[in-house]
Amino acid sequence: MRWTQDYVARAAADRRIVAGFNVFGYEDAQAVIRAAERVRAPVLLMVNRDASQVMAVEHWGALLGSLANAAAVPVGVHLDHCSETNTVLRAINSGFSSVMYDGSKRPITENLKITGEIVRQAHARQVLVEAELGTVPYSDLGETEIRLTDPEEARRMQQETGVDWLAVSVGNIHRLETQKVPIRFPVLRKIERSCTLPLVVHGASGIVEQDVLRLKKTQVGKMNFGTVLRKAFGYTLREQMEQYQAEFDRLRLFDKPTAQVEEQAYQIIDMLWREETEQ
């Protein structure tokens, strides 16, 4: 079932959160969809920078879009963290239901200008747009600087661009494997007072569960996950290869890793989507 409306905005209003998962092939994409179907929740299949470098966005759009069409729940196809306007526009024309233009490293006036133009072209094709303000570092690249989202810039982003979702920096860090970081809720509350956009939190694998549940009570309507599924797949695949050293058929080797991805995705989607009264 294709993504036909803004489920992220609906989730933010309903104190739920849509999970977005970085996927790297049909195996983990199907596993995520199966998990979402078990919960009966919408979900986003996301193509990150690594994935878009090994396969063109046109191919990702065709592959993930066909899987979305066959799903029993709304499935969106999302381009994650892209600062190349040409790639963003190609994704808009390749079946993606939403795109993220990341102009966070540009001066604010330039970020607003480019984001506004992308919004104009995307909305003409019924594609949603996510922007970012602040700096969310990548731990695997040795980045340490966190530049928190400025509430005034958030207000300008909403008023001057017409963007649909806003990714914020509130203490979150990309690709944490073991360490957890606290969310700075006072900063988040200031952002919420300055704009009414559905907010997005990246680097969710590094956030403790208690903070994730608190985020359901805020304007956050989408959270991005990647590392947790990559670890589930990679570690389980290593175990399979060590246990079955004579096996060469990847379909057999991928069975258990894919099942682990589904279970991890199920736990996350269920936590984010279940009603407040059930917590």
Side-chain angles (χ1 to χ4, degrees):
M1 183 187 303
R2 275 302 190 110
W3 190 275
T4 57
Q5 55 183 285
D6 192 343
Y7 294 97
V8 169
R10 285 183 55 186
D14 293 342
R15 292 194 168 186
R16 291 178 169 178
I17 298 176
V18 174
F21 294 99
N22 291 137
V23 295
F24 300 90
Y26 75 89
E27 297 91 353
D28 46 355
Q30 286 182 315
V32 167
I33 290 174
R34 286 194 296 267
E37 289 175 336
R38 289 165 61 186
V39 183
R40 298 182 182 178
V43 73
L44 283 161
L45 304 176
M46 303 195 306
V47 177
N48 74 356
R49 288 184 292 194
D50 295 342
S52 64
Q53 288 174 358
V54 298
M55 191 165 77
V57 292
E58 290 81 2
H59 301 313
W60 281 116
L63 171 62
L64 301 181
S66 65
L67 296 175
N69 285 335
V73 295
V75 176
V77 180
H78 179 76
L79 179 66
D80 187 31
H81 270 298
C82 188
S83 57
E84 299 171 356
T85 56
N86 180 57
T87 304
V88 173
L89 296 177
R90 285 167 50 208
I92 290 170
N93 292 305
S94 299
F96 283 69
S97 53
S98 56
V99 294
M100 178 187 184
Y101 169 68
D102 182 0
S104 60
K105 294 184 179 180
R106 297 180 182 272
I108 181 61
T109 53
E110 191 175 348
N111 189 357
L112 294 172
K113 180 180 178 180
I114 298 174
T115 300
E117 176 57 26
I118 287 174
V119 168
R120 185 185 68 80
Q121 297 195 48
H123 285 183
R125 296 186 65 88
Q126 290 77 54
V127 174
L128 300 167
V129 181
E130 175 182 342
E132 179 168 335
L133 290 169
T135 300
V136 180
Y138 283 80
S139 63
D140 60 326
L141 299 179
E143 297 176 354
T144 57
E145 180 187 0
I146 298 177
R147 183 170 62 84
L148 300 172
T149 299
D150 183 290
E152 173 59 19
E153 291 184 357
R155 182 193 65 78
R156 291 185 62 190
M157 180 65 77
Q158 178 173 10
Q159 292 185 353
E160 297 180 29
T161 70
V163 76
D164 300 286
W165 313 329
L166 178 62
V168 293
S169 174
V170 287
N172 41 317
I173 298 176
H174 288 108
R175 298 182 180 178
L176 286 175
E177 295 185 29
T178 56
Q179 179 186 355
K180 298 291 183 179
V181 293
I183 292 297
R184 303 186 190 183
F185 285 93
V187 176
L188 182 60
R189 284 193 288 271
K190 290 180 181 179
I191 297 168
E192 290 178 319
R193 287 196 291 267
S194 69
C195 76
T196 59
L197 289 171
L199 303 179
V200 180
V201 172
H202 290 235
S205 297
I207 301 173
V208 297
E209 183 175 333
Q210 182 179 3
D211 279 358
V212 172
L213 296 176
R214 287 183 66 187
L215 287 171
K216 292 176 67 174
K217 302 175 183 178
T218 70
Q219 282 173 216
V220 173
K222 171 175 172 272
M223 293 185 72
N224 290 11
F225 296 84
T227 302
V228 63
L229 297 194
R230 293 171 89 165
K231 288 172 64 179
F233 191 96
Y235 291 161
T236 309
L237 178 60
R238 182 178 294 114
E239 292 172 358
Q240 291 295 98
M241 295 183 72
E242 290 173 351
Q243 184 175 356
Y244 303 104
Q245 296 186 21
E247 181 59 73
F248 58 85
D249 190 333
R250 75 179 198 176
L251 292 177
R252 294 192 181 95
L253 289 170
F254 281 10
D255 276 346
K256 191 170 181 180
T258 302
Q260 287 297 312
V261 168
E262 179 181 340
E263 190 55 36
Q264 287 289 330
Y266 170 78
Q267 292 177 18
I268 291 169
I269 297 169
D270 181 62
M271 174 177 60
L272 296 180
W273 198 251
R274 63 177 181 250
E275 293 184 9
E276 189 78 12
T277 55
E278 298 177 25
Q279 296 176 19

